[in-house]
Amino acid sequence: MGQTFAQIWALVRQIPPGRVATYGQLARWAGNPRLARAAGYAMHAAPADVPCHRVVNRLGGLSDAFSPEGRATHRMLLEMEGVRFRPDGTVDLEHALWEGPSV
DNA sequence: AGTATGACATAGC
DNA sequence: AGCTATGCCATAC
């Protein structure tokens, strides 16, 4: 695997509890705003020490490729951490979105 | 070495 | 306002 994956994983690990980050932001902080797709693929190959459940798309929800079971677990984990959810099942990005690694 | 695919994002219609 | 089409970078075959 390339340097990019490690970069993305490092950022994901820095996401504080109760907060979530979008693939676009991760890519942006990784150095390339266009790495959004690669970021998602990085999650696909992400090890267990990477809280990939704190990573969501720009809609505030998990990707369709995520298993239905994993989706439920994802929501449960975030709710347990204090993340507020909307009636439609998406994360309230306005309240739970991570400000960034430099904050 | 080239082609195909992908856990996304943005722009246009 | 919602859906369709295109772009872009990296990994895998």
Side-chain angles (χ1 to χ4, degrees), chain A residues 46-59:
Chain A
D49 65 301
V50 177
C52 50
H53 61 269
R54 289 182 192 156
V55 184
V56 297
N57 59 6
R58 91 158 193 84
L59 301 177

Side-chain angles (χ1 to χ4, degrees), chain A residues 7-62:
Chain A
Q7 182 75 287
I8 299 296
W9 295 338
L11 288 168
V12 178
R13 282 184 220 155
Q14 289 165 60
I15 302 176
R19 291 287 133 71
V20 296
T22 65
Y23 295 101
Q25 274 189 318
L26 288 174
R28 181 178 171 186
W29 298 326
N32 290 358
R34 305 298 165 11
L35 285 178
R37 289 175 93 156
Y41 209 81
M43 295 297 94
H44 179 79
D49 65 301
V50 177
C52 50
H53 61 269
R54 289 182 192 156
V55 184
V56 297
N57 59 6
R58 91 158 193 84
L59 301 177
L62 271 177

